[in-house]
């Protein structure tokens, strides 16, 4: 019957075998060999680690380059739309008009370009009430004009960009309908009317209401209708629906019978603007 060896006995036999094969210093030799093997293993690991790092750096570099390329394409699309708007004969364009004229296609492409331009501070985004929806438009900032290498225009008409946009686009629409237009028409009392429209003997005044409080528009109505000649109608063109409701109430309060020398009506400014016919 064979004897079972303990772990300690196996270790002793192993040491004896080493001495027989390699001599008395076999333990040191084996340790040296083991150390050399470990060094080689470490070298291999270093090489593999370096190769792995190189791959990681290459992948990261590729990802950065790819992201930069995507951002560059989006920015170029935004600049193309902006340049179309800035150089068109009708400089006040709705976003969808500028996009169609510039040839940019796809809703996602547009929104990505818009986000890039907004993040870069090249544009501001505005909305104008029209019918039952809101129409978007871009205001090119000073930084945006610098990117385009163009000087920012100085448009006649008071007020902020949205106010100027409405005045000029309403004027453009009525001009196409055969009206004579005058921006900032001066009344005999010195009051400036945003827009005077005339065709034959008929005269219209239009005031663009783009800021609050709406009560100041009552003062506009009174000053515009002070003295001759009076327009056949005065249209108060508001830029959002909430303002329209508030102005309706202010112009015709139920508790007061208020008669104006001329007809006064309130409309959404967007409804007074016709879209440009853009070839697809």
């Amino acid at each position: 019957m064979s004897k079972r060896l303990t772990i300690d006995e196996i270790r002793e036999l192993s040491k004896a075998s080493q001495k027989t094969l390699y001599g008395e210093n076999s333990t040191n030799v084996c340790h040296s060999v083991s150390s050399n093997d470990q060094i080689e293993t470490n070298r291999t690991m270093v090489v593999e680690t370096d190769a792995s790092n190189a791959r990681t750096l290459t992948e990261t570099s590729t990802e950065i380059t790819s992201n930069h390329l995507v951002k560059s394409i989006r920015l170029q699309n935004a600049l193309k739309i902006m340049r179309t708007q800035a150089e068109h004969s009708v400089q006040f364009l709705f976003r969808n008009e500028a996009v169609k004229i510039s040839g940019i296609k796809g809703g996602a492409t547009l929104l990505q370009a818009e986000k890039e331009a907004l993040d870069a501070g090249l544009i501001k985004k505005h909305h104008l009430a029209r019918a039952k929806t809101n129409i978007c438009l871009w205001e090119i900032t000073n930084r945006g004009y610098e990117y385009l290498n163009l000087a920012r225009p100085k448009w006649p008409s008071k007020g902020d960009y949205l106010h100027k946009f409405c005045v000029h686009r309403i004027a453009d629409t009525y001009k196409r309908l055969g009206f004579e237009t005058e921006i900032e028409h001066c009344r005999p009392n010195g009051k400036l009317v945003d827009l005077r429209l005339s065709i034959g003997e008929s005269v219209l005044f239009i005031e663009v209401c783009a800021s609050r409080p709406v009560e100041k528009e009552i003062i506009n109505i009174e000053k515009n209708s002070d003295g001759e000649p009076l327009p056949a109608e005065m249209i108060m063109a508001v830029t959002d629906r909430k303002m329209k409701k508030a102005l309706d109430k202010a112009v015709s309060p139920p508790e007061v019978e208020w008669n104006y020398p001329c007809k006064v009506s309130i409309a959404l400014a967007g409804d007074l603007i016709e879209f440009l016919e853009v070839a697809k």
Side-chain angles (χ1 to χ4, degrees):
M1 186 174 180
S2 59
K3 179 185 176 181
R4 289 188 176 182
L5 298 176
T6 65
I7 294 298
D8 290 337
E9 288 173 331
I10 292 171
R11 286 173 179 167
E12 290 300 322
L13 286 172
S14 177
K15 288 179 181 179
S17 298
Q18 288 175 14
K19 288 178 181 179
T20 302
L21 291 170
Y22 303 110
E24 292 294 330
N25 297 324
S26 62
T27 303
N28 293 336
V29 170
C30 288
H31 177 72
S32 176
V33 171
S34 176
S35 298
N36 288 337
D37 288 345
Q38 186 62 44
I39 291 171
E40 188 62 32
T41 301
N42 288 343
R43 285 177 179 167
T44 303
M45 290 177 65
V46 169
V47 171
E48 289 178 351
T49 301
D50 287 345
S52 177
N53 288 341
R55 284 195 299 272
T56 301
L57 287 172
T58 301
E59 289 169 359
T60 302
S61 176
T62 301
E63 185 178 347
I64 291 172
T65 302
S66 177
N67 288 340
H68 179 74
L69 181 60
V70 169
K71 287 175 69 68
S72 177
I73 291 172
R74 291 174 179 175
L75 184 59
Q76 290 304 314
N77 285 337
L79 291 172
K80 189 174 182 181
I81 297 169
M82 290 162 57
R83 185 171 294 281
T84 296
Q85 176 174 315
E87 295 182 343
H88 197 270
S89 57
V90 179
Q91 290 191 357
F92 291 93
L93 296 178
F94 288 111
R95 183 185 66 181
N96 63 338
E97 294 171 332
V99 168
K100 287 182 181 178
I101 296 169
S102 65
I104 301 296
K105 296 182 179 179
T109 301
L110 165 61
L111 293 178
Q112 289 165 355
E114 181 176 79
K115 184 179 185 305
E116 203 66 40
L118 286 169
D119 290 346
L122 306 183
I123 63 168
K124 293 179 182 178
K125 188 176 176 182
H126 301 282
H127 290 93
L128 180 65
R130 175 185 168 92
K132 295 183 179 180
T133 186
N134 290 319
I135 307 299
C136 180
L137 54 112
W138 288 3
E139 174 186 357
I140 303 173
T141 63
N142 290 335
R143 181 178 174 81
Y145 278 106
E146 288 175 4
Y147 260 71
L148 295 173
N149 198 27
L150 295 173
R152 185 185 182 93
K154 293 183 178 179
W155 302 286
S157 174
K158 59 184 180 292
D160 60 13
Y161 183 82
L162 185 59
H163 187 280
K164 294 178 188 292
F165 182 100
C166 292
V167 170
H168 283 264
R169 280 304 299 264
I170 293 171
D172 180 77
T173 295
Y174 277 84
K175 190 180 294 183
R176 293 170 188 271
L177 295 174
F179 284 76
E180 292 185 10
T181 64
E182 182 185 357
I183 294 173
E184 300 233 316
H185 167 69
C186 186
R187 295 283 287 151
N189 60 4
K191 169 69 171 61
L192 293 176
V193 179
D194 285 337
L195 184 60
R196 180 184 185 274
L197 306 171
S198 62
I199 186 166
E201 298 297 321
S202 180
V203 176
L204 303 176
F205 286 174
I206 293 183
E207 288 284 359
V208 173
C209 313
S211 61
R212 288 177 169 79
V214 296
E215 285 73 21
K216 70 179 183 181
E217 302 303 338
I218 302 300
I219 299 174
N220 269 338
I221 294 172
E222 292 173 345
K223 288 184 176 180
N224 288 348
S225 55
D226 178 23
E228 297 290 340
L230 288 172
E233 183 179 4
M234 194 183 314
I235 302 173
M236 311 303 286
V238 298
T239 56
D240 69 67
R241 289 176 190 79
K242 289 183 180 179
M243 187 182 296
K244 184 177 186 299
K245 290 180 181 178
L247 190 55
D248 266 326
K249 186 176 180 180
V251 169
S252 303
E255 68 276 7
V256 178
E257 185 176 346
W258 203 340
N259 296 317
Y260 297 104
C262 63
K263 180 182 177 182
V264 176
S265 58
I266 301 168
L268 291 176
D271 288 343
L272 302 179
I273 299 173
E274 283 190 355
F275 288 128
L276 298 180
E277 292 184 6
V278 180
K280 295 183 180 180

